[in-house]
Amino acid sequence: MDDHVTLTYQGKSYRLPVIVGTENERGIDILRLRTDTGFITLDPGFANTGACLSSITYMDGEKGILRYRGIPVEELAENSTFKETAYLLINGRLPSEDELRRFSIMLNDHSLVHEDMKTFYQNFPRASHPMGILSSMVNALRSFYPELQATEEEINFTVTRLLAKVRTMAAMSYKISRGHTVVYPRPDLAYSENFLNMMFNTPVKPYEFVREVVRALEVFWILHADHEQNCSTTAVRVVGSGRVNLYAAISAGMSALWGPLHGGANQAVIEMLSEIHRMDGDYRKAIERAKDKADPFRLMGFGHRVYKTYDPRAKIMKRMCDDLLKKLQINDPLLDIAKALEETAMNDAFFRENNLYPNVDFYSGIVLRAIGIPTNMFTVMFAIGRLPGWIAQWKESMDDPQWRISRPRQIYIGPTETHYVPMAERPRS
Ligand code: ACO
């Protein structure tokens, strides 16, 4: 079928092809727009721009749907592990038992980090944010482990190495920041257990695993594993489009994730809730501030570019938060404040009219606190979870037959041609 839209300007018409996805998402193909018409499009924040065709993640913001490779995130959170979900995202299908076993072995085999990297860690100022450290260290990996990218097997090798090492590097940054001895990964432990052990084991107090804590971490990472063309993933694709090495592209994604409007929101939510707690729990003030257009304050953990209903990840996170705190017999006053704040906001016309619902970050910080993760490590936890998604998106972009370097246009609104004025002739002020 010749499906197209017609653009008419000053009596002249142009036909633009319509692209339809497998879930009937429709887009107008403007690949030849400038060549044929001289026009470009203007879309700040890319809210209406499809940057690629992708078969990794599907989300429907109106219905609250999120699927990785077609599988609903709810099913993965219920039945899968983070390692298996990572395999699914990166390879496009669930692994067989043997494939998963081999993937596990590779993750274990590459989980150590070059000893010389420790000296970098030791020289960061103590107050450095772990996200700054992690993104720098991921970039530095290129110097220690030149990436192999010629064949499919080599790419898989580089990718697995990155997945294995990031977890070790994250735990290492925490240990060094505390002045503790670094704990090395153990081949007998699963992905999440290994991470918890590297974070919390000490020579005097061995870390004791609690099944529900390990599962909560798995689910936390599964829920963060991909989210199609969000800010950090777009950074990975854009930086990667210059054909830079994988480590540099992922490091760019990490830097993008750090911002409080994106992955840094989990830290910002806890800081906001803690502040409310300090102010005698008066959450209504925060709601009033968020509604005040003259005040730049936003309710952290609320709102989303795509979801115009409850974020499906937040639903799972909220339930898990309740269960975990009950199991661990933790009475976290921040959870009570969060729930009261959510209930009040959900009954407020401003939040309803602007479709502002809790997003994944609203309850995730309380889960991480219960696990024992310090607040400044929250976004690092998000980054470990998002890594398979970034890798899958990077791989897809490398194989894209329509690949071109990312290079948007602009509408110039600066001065028209003007001329250089020598200093002596410029007005004094
Ligand atoms: N609190 C108060 N008002 C808000 C909030 C909020 N959390 N979020 C959006 N709004 C308002 C805006 O002020 C705007 O109002 P206006 O049209 O009158 O100016 C309207 O709702 C639309 O908001 P935009 O910023 O245009 O929406 P956008 O899609 O660009 O931004 C974003 C989405 C960045 C997530 C925004 O909702 C926000 O800042 N939320 C708080 C930070 C946060 O939780 N980020 C995590 C997102 S999930 C993730 O990245 C993992």
Side-chain angles (χ1 to χ4, degrees):
M1 186 180 65
D2 173 23
D3 201 2
H4 68 273
V5 295
T6 306
L7 176 71
T8 305
Y9 183 68
Q10 293 183 341
K12 216 167 161 197
S13 292
Y14 307 92
R15 288 158 66 86
L16 301 168
V18 168
I19 303 280
V20 184
T22 48
E23 292 286 347
N24 286 323
E25 283 184 302
R26 286 173 306 162
I28 301 167
D29 178 349
I30 58 163
L31 209 63
R32 292 192 50 81
L33 183 69
R34 188 168 177 280
T35 319
D36 292 350
T37 69
F39 280 92
I40 63 162
T41 56
L42 183 64
D43 185 18
F46 311 132
N48 302 294
T49 296
C52 57
L53 299 178
S54 180
S55 56
I56 301 170
T57 288
Y58 173 69
M59 57 189 290
D60 181 326
E62 270 70 37
K63 296 194 186 130
I65 292 174
L66 175 63
R67 299 181 198 137
Y68 302 155
R69 303 286 188 182
I71 304 178
V73 73
E74 292 81 359
E75 287 180 26
L76 292 166
E78 186 69 33
N79 304 304
S80 186
T81 60
F82 177 60
K83 190 168 53 188
E84 184 183 55
T85 299
Y87 187 102
L88 166 75
L89 283 165
I90 295 168
N91 297 287
R93 57 173 176 78
L94 288 169
S96 67
E97 206 175 334
D98 194 43
E99 284 167 332
L100 191 59
R101 192 180 50 77
R102 275 186 278 134
F103 187 48
S104 275
I105 292 171
M106 271 182 83
L107 286 172
N108 272 330
D109 285 353
H110 297 288
S111 56
L112 285 169
V113 171
H114 199 294
E115 283 292 310
D116 288 354
M117 290 192 94
K118 262 203 225 164
T119 51
F120 279 113
Y121 280 105
Q122 276 149 355
N123 287 307
F124 277 103
R126 272 289 148 93
S128 303
H129 194 285
M131 276 304 277
I133 299 178
L134 188 66
S135 57
S136 313
M137 297 305 280
V138 166
N139 215 344
L141 277 176
R142 172 69 171 77
S143 310
F144 289 89
Y145 306 95
E147 93 275 44
L148 304 165
Q149 265 174 228
T151 62
E152 179 72 20
E153 206 187 342
E154 285 184 357
I155 291 178
N156 286 340
F157 183 74
T158 300
V159 157
T160 315
R161 189 152 67 185
L162 182 58
L163 275 169
K165 292 196 191 312
V166 159
R167 174 194 52 172
T168 309
M169 287 159 65
M172 220 166 140
S173 69
Y174 172 66
K175 281 295 198 192
I176 291 174
S177 74
R178 301 287 306 258
H180 289 180
T181 317
V182 167
V183 176
Y184 287 85
R186 273 173 40 189
D188 58 313
L189 295 179
Y191 196 90
S192 308
E193 289 174 344
N194 228 329
F195 177 77
L196 290 168
N197 193 57
M198 285 190 278
M199 284 284 289
F200 301 122
N201 201 40
T202 74
V204 289
K205 196 166 183 283
Y207 182 68
E208 282 173 31
F209 294 106
V210 174
R211 194 165 48 88
E212 287 78 1
V213 168
V214 175
R215 187 61 202 158
L217 181 55
E218 288 277 322
V219 175
F220 173 89
W221 277 336
I222 290 170
L223 296 180
H224 286 82
D226 194 48
H227 216 220
E228 53 119 301
Q229 309 312 314
N230 56 85
C231 172
S232 54
T233 301
T234 300
V236 170
R237 280 189 178 255
V238 169
V239 172
S241 80
R243 291 294 192 236
V244 73
N245 65 79
L246 171 67
Y247 305 119
I250 298 294
S251 167
M254 287 180 167
S255 299
L257 188 75
W258 191 0
L261 295 192
H262 190 16
N266 54 14
Q267 177 174 343
V269 169
I270 289 297
E271 286 164 357
M272 177 185 79
L273 295 175
S274 303
E275 178 64 19
I276 294 173
H277 184 50
R278 268 194 299 276
M279 311 289 274
D280 300 328
D282 188 2
Y283 58 87
R284 284 172 206 278
K285 226 181 256 165
I287 291 184
E288 288 315 310
R289 282 192 67 194
K291 287 161 55 175
D292 180 358
K293 288 283 154 207
D295 189 335
F297 175 81
R298 284 184 170 203
L299 214 50
M300 287 293 137
F302 264 73
H304 198 274
R305 171 61 62 78
V306 180
Y307 292 125
K308 297 305 163 204
T309 180
Y310 213 101
D311 181 336
R313 304 166 302 172
K315 265 189 208 161
I316 302 171
M317 198 70 83
K318 184 179 177 184
R319 212 178 318 126
M320 188 167 80
C321 188
D322 270 334
D323 293 349
L324 185 65
L325 266 60
K326 206 177 285 164
K327 165 71 197 171
L328 300 179
Q329 296 182 336
I330 295 175
N331 186 8
D332 190 340
L334 299 197
L335 180 60
D336 299 333
I337 294 173
K339 283 186 174 169
L341 198 149
E342 179 193 337
E343 198 187 331
T344 309
M346 290 297 81
N347 286 311
D348 189 294
F350 172 87
F351 288 88
R352 277 203 313 271
E353 279 157 22
N354 284 290
N355 295 317
L356 297 172
Y357 295 86
N359 59 48
V360 68
D361 293 313
F362 194 62
Y363 287 102
S364 69
I366 301 174
V367 169
L368 292 177
R369 262 160 73 94
I371 294 175
I373 308 289
T375 312
N376 69 350
M377 283 286 288
F378 284 6
T379 312
V380 166
M381 302 301 290
F382 189 152
I384 300 173
R386 182 55 55 85
L387 189 56
W390 287 331
I391 291 172
Q393 302 272 350
W394 171 84
K395 264 185 100 179
E396 187 178 70
S397 71
M398 292 295 116
D399 295 338
D400 187 349
Q402 285 191 317
W403 169 84
R404 296 177 84 187
I405 188 164
S406 293
R407 203 314 183 181
R409 295 264 176 175
Q410 62 167 18
I411 302 284
Y412 176 69
I413 55 166
T416 53
E417 187 177 13
T418 180
H419 294 288
Y420 181 78
V421 180
M423 186 62 81
E425 294 170 29
R426 289 179 218 166
R428 285 165 179 267
S429 67

